[in-house]
Amino acid sequence: MTDETGEPAGGNPSEPTADTDANDVEETTNSFSLASFYDICETQGRPILTAGTVATALGTSHEAANAALDRLADDGDVTRLSVEADPVVWYPSELDDPRARERVVIFPKRREIVVDQPQQFTRAQLSQFAHLAETTGDGGYRYVVRPEDVWQAPHDTLDGLRRTIRQALGERNDTLEDWIESQWDRARQFRLTTHPDGYTVLEAQSPEIMGNVARPLLDEEQVHAPISETEDWVREGSEAAIKRELYEAGYPVQDDRELDGGDPLDLELTVSLRDYQRTWVERFDDQGAGVLVGPPGSGKTVAAMGAMERVGGETLVLVPSRDLARQWADALAADTTLDPAQIGQYHGGQKEIRPVTIATYQIAGMDRHRSLFDDREWGLTIFDEVHHVPSDVYRRATHLQSRYRLGLSASPIREDERQAEIFTLVGPPIGTDWDALFDAGFVAEPELEIRYVPWADEAGNAHAAADGRERYRIAAENPAKIHEVRTLLAAHPSGQALIFVEYLDQGRELSDALSIPFLSGETPHHERQRLLEAFRAGERQQLIVSRVGDEGLDLPTADLAIIASGLGGSRRQGTQRAGRTMRPAGGALVYVLATRGSREEDFARRQLQHLGRKGISVREHTVDRPDEADSAEESGA
């Protein structure tokens, strides 16, 4: 006899009976981990579970769940506790030790939360309603609760969100919760719907919100006319503009249009998703739109294929370059059950429209090609390197309509601060705490070091006489960097190395001086592929790469990355280049070379500060001039 939760009605849990499936017990016991325990805690909204709750969540028997919990208890990961209300409950053992409990400090007026040494469970709870702004080397985490974090919180009810907040913070904070409630309400004031006659309607929760917010903002280019006090008839093609206008005014629009899903597409993944990738796919499926945000190496492309499997509709993949189009086609053929004949590419090299079509943004946005994409009803559109879409050239491709929209980016930030447009054009961010991926071993945390290189005499004199952009270029191409690159490569003779440069002349000089191939936009496609394949296979240890490698190519990961120039670029560029060393094996190094006494020093700190806030440690080192080093060695220093 059991109660409604599936627990025995009294006494201790019974021993397995003869009817118990031994295979089920063994399989559950072997596969159930502390991470699985935390996943169920998160779903239940509390850090204490019963065997019946675990059995229900896993779809297994009570005996199998009890055996799995017993194993975790034997390993010291969870603790048993017999109480009157439930015969046995289980909770994480770390809660036994007061020293292991996080110290949480709340600044409600600034909407900031500072946590000392948070456990992964706490970080997972905080990520549902707050943004990780920065981490410190000693385990401090600073979160900021922004409007968009509340707007996209993965909860169906405000009460559910409140439970998550209180569980993460360990207390109730009325000031913070009142503000969060106001943002929750804002996110539900407007929605786009489809009228029975087929056109789009903007609908408001009240006449007041429509009259005081929407109608003063929107003009005749976006709406035809009012239909009622709370409804406006939307002009075809202006949906994205309306969403952007209202988003910037602090009112995100829920998109509930009945968009065509296209013909069904039957495909299955042939690789397994990691737990966090499965969570990404589930959140995307719930929302119908979103941007997967994770470090390079975290498997966003595989997760996107998981979304394709979940949607089950014809798919358009948009990419910045034809090289990425080819890599997507290869990955789809390798990791899904799609037949190669179902996969088409549409760019300057070839033009095929298939059930899964991979096209470049530029081609998809051109008037003479766009009708081909408009005429086909897509179930899903995937925007790779989605941080491009706010630009004038790329955003035209976002006007293509599909039922589901998914973006991918390691770092959807823009130096022009237009990243909000990414989320209005595509969907809200869906991401994972970088530290959680580092802790779990899915992605390795690289070691970053800024090395301040002295001037070569002639370059220093030229820098002093120059001004403006020319000064920056002279510092970037400082010939002393050739010596430093050679020194670093000699210090790591067995590692595979990628050397990044901003300027073609510098790339050619390094290539000539070090006898290393230089891969740039001028390199023929067949030669690029040959060099990259040799690097992947371990047949070539070193490559010099221009800006074409930041995102236009799927570069292989490396043990060593040396950024010889390009520090005036974006924070996103720093993330992309550092990310080339992020892989589970660990031990990777990133060296950033900056000419001492130039603006490169400031650029280096600014570019890598963004990675520092994600938990990656950054150190600094000043390189001695060759004559200084010789003098120090002679003096015995």
Side-chain angles (χ1 to χ4, degrees):
M1 179 177 175
T2 61
D3 63 15
E4 293 180 353
T5 66
E7 290 290 352
N12 291 325
S14 59
E15 294 293 324
T17 67
D19 295 329
T20 301
D21 188 337
N23 290 333
D24 181 40
V25 173
E26 182 179 2
E27 183 179 346
T28 304
T29 302
N30 291 336
S31 63
F32 192 69
S33 65
L34 182 59
S36 308
F37 185 94
Y38 275 137
D39 287 341
I40 300 174
C41 286
E42 183 175 340
T43 301
Q44 296 295 316
R46 60 176 186 163
I48 298 174
L49 301 177
T50 63
T53 303
V54 172
T56 300
L58 297 179
T60 189
S61 67
H62 181 278
E63 288 78 14
N66 205 65
L69 289 164
D70 276 334
R71 184 183 63 78
L72 287 187
D74 292 342
D75 293 343
D77 292 329
V78 302
T79 299
R80 304 180 187 88
L81 178 65
S82 296
V83 293
E84 291 185 8
D86 291 289
V88 179
V89 296
W90 314 75
Y91 60 90
S93 299
E94 64 192 26
L95 298 182
D96 275 336
D97 184 1
R99 294 169 301 176
R101 298 178 187 172
E102 308 99 331
R103 185 168 64 93
V104 180
V105 181
I106 307 167
F107 301 92
K109 292 184 178 178
R110 300 205 306 262
R111 301 189 294 279
E112 291 187 4
I113 303 162
V114 178
V115 192
D116 184 36
Q117 306 289 340
Q119 299 295 326
Q120 185 173 337
F121 177 75
T122 301
R123 298 207 307 265
Q125 298 297 87
L126 285 165
S127 70
Q128 296 185 44
F129 65 91
H131 167 70
L132 178 60
E134 64 180 324
T135 62
T136 62
D138 55 2
Y141 284 64
R142 183 173 69 88
Y143 289 85
V144 179
V145 186
R146 306 168 302 178
E148 55 265 37
D149 301 316
V150 180
W151 298 344
Q152 68 207 26
H155 289 272
D156 295 327
T157 66
L158 181 59
D159 285 342
L161 176 56
R162 282 201 185 100
R163 282 195 298 271
T164 296
I165 294 168
R166 292 170 188 175
Q167 187 171 338
L169 303 183
E171 63 181 78
R172 174 174 176 165
N173 187 288
D174 289 338
T175 301
L176 181 60
E177 287 189 22
D178 288 347
W179 181 84
I180 287 174
E181 181 176 355
S182 71
Q183 294 302 319
W184 176 274
D185 289 339
R186 274 177 171 255
R188 284 150 184 81
Q189 294 301 314
F190 293 101
R191 70 188 190 115
L192 291 171
T193 63
T194 301
H195 191 273
D197 291 338
Y199 58 83
T200 301
V201 174
L202 175 66
E203 186 180 288
Q205 282 291 320
S206 68
E208 290 75 22
I209 200 74
M210 178 63 87
N212 295 331
V213 177
R215 286 177 179 157
L217 281 174
L218 306 178
D219 57 32
E220 60 186 14
E221 293 184 0
Q222 292 146 345
V223 293
H224 285 288
I227 300 172
S228 70
E229 289 185 329
T230 59
E231 296 172 306
D232 277 2
W233 177 8
V234 173
R235 286 188 181 277
E236 185 177 357
S238 65
E239 294 87 355
I242 289 173
K243 290 163 70 174
R244 185 175 64 254
E245 290 278 3
L246 290 173
Y247 188 99
E248 291 174 352
Y251 292 89
V253 179
Q254 294 182 332
D255 196 337
D256 296 331
R257 288 176 291 164
E258 298 174 4
L259 296 172
D260 292 323
D263 291 335
L265 179 68
D266 185 20
L267 82 153
E268 294 179 8
L269 274 177
T270 57
V271 294
S272 298
L273 293 176
R274 298 166 180 166
D275 287 344
Y276 68 86
Q277 291 170 321
R278 204 171 296 112
T279 299
W280 286 352
V281 173
E282 289 169 355
R283 284 192 60 183
F284 164 73
D285 191 32
D286 289 340
Q287 297 171 182
V291 175
L292 299 186
V293 181
S298 58
K300 294 182 292 296
T301 301
V302 173
M305 294 180 197
M308 290 174 62
E309 180 184 46
R310 186 71 64 96
V311 170
E314 296 195 342
T315 300
L316 174 64
V317 182
L318 297 173
V319 296
S321 71
R322 68 170 71 177
D323 287 299
L324 278 181
R326 294 190 182 99
Q327 289 150 21
W328 259 95
D330 292 343
L332 286 165
D335 296 335
T336 74
T337 57
L338 287 172
D339 188 283
Q342 295 176 284
I343 304 167
Q345 297 179 52
Y346 200 98
H347 47 66
Q350 58 191 95
K351 294 179 173 61
E352 305 161 334
I353 300 290
R354 301 278 173 80
V356 176
T357 299
I358 308 146
T360 57
Y361 284 100
Q362 296 95 326
I363 288 284
M366 291 180 181
D367 291 336
R368 66 178 182 273
H369 299 290
R370 186 176 162 186
S371 61
L372 293 171
F373 301 102
D374 274 333
D375 290 343
R376 198 167 190 125
E377 295 175 350
W378 303 103
L380 169 66
T381 302
I382 296 173
F383 301 86
D384 199 3
E385 305 293 354
V386 71
H387 41 265
H388 288 297
V389 299
S391 68
D392 295 335
V393 173
Y394 284 73
R395 72 182 299 128
R396 298 189 68 191
T398 66
H399 297 163
L400 296 167
Q401 296 300 310
S402 62
R403 179 175 293 178
Y404 294 91
R405 300 159 77 81
L406 178 65
L408 311 178
S409 182
S411 185
I413 57 172
R414 292 178 58 90
E415 303 307 306
D416 58 10
E417 303 300 332
R418 293 173 68 185
Q419 54 263 28
E421 294 188 33
I422 297 169
F423 308 129
T424 59
L425 291 166
V426 179
I430 301 169
T432 297
D433 179 352
W434 284 37
D435 268 9
L437 300 184
F438 295 152
D439 292 347
F442 290 123
V443 179
E445 176 183 346
E447 296 180 40
L448 268 66
E449 181 172 289
I450 306 174
R451 296 179 71 84
Y452 300 110
V453 179
W455 282 105
D457 288 335
E458 64 277 12
N461 295 334
H463 180 267
D467 55 18
R469 186 70 183 172
E470 186 63 21
R471 287 171 64 89
Y472 167 73
R473 178 161 185 158
I474 292 170
E477 296 182 320
N478 177 9
K481 291 182 179 181
I482 297 176
H483 173 76
E484 187 60 22
V485 171
R486 183 183 285 113
T487 299
L488 291 173
L489 292 176
H492 305 281
S494 61
Q496 285 192 292
L498 293 173
I499 303 152
F500 293 94
V501 297
E502 181 80 356
Y503 298 105
L504 295 178
D505 287 344
Q506 184 186 28
R508 296 184 189 106
E509 289 173 8
L510 277 167
S511 179
D512 291 342
L514 304 175
S515 299
I516 298 173
F518 176 37
L519 194 157
S520 72
E522 296 179 348
T523 308
H525 287 291
H526 69 275
E527 179 67 6
R528 287 190 201 179
Q529 293 302 113
R530 187 185 68 80
L531 290 171
L532 292 172
E533 288 304 321
F535 192 92
R536 287 190 182 94
E539 299 166 0
R540 180 167 294 286
Q541 293 295 100
Q542 299 155 348
L543 283 178
I544 301 169
V545 185
S546 73
R547 293 187 66 170
V548 72
D550 289 334
E551 54 195 29
L553 292 177
D554 182 17
L555 285 176
T557 52
D559 307 297
L560 176 67
I562 302 173
I563 302 174
S565 61
L567 302 181
S570 66
R571 291 166 286 172
R572 184 184 69 251
Q573 188 181 59
T575 302
Q576 293 281 358
R577 291 178 171 181
R580 299 308 177 189
T581 66
M582 292 185 185
R583 60 182 182 181
L589 300 168
V590 180
Y591 292 106
V592 177
L593 307 187
T595 298
R596 197 192 313 171
S598 75
R599 291 187 64 195
E600 278 199 316
E601 290 194 28
D602 295 332
F603 285 139
R605 292 191 183 98
R606 184 192 69 177
Q607 201 178 55
L608 298 185
Q609 186 181 49
H610 169 62
L611 291 171
R613 287 198 294 267
K614 293 183 178 294
I616 297 176
S617 57
V618 180
R619 60 178 183 263
E620 301 179 37
H621 174 77
T622 299
V623 178
D624 292 329
R625 293 175 62 93
D627 53 347
E628 291 172 350
D630 293 342
S631 299
E633 187 174 338
E634 290 170 4
S635 65

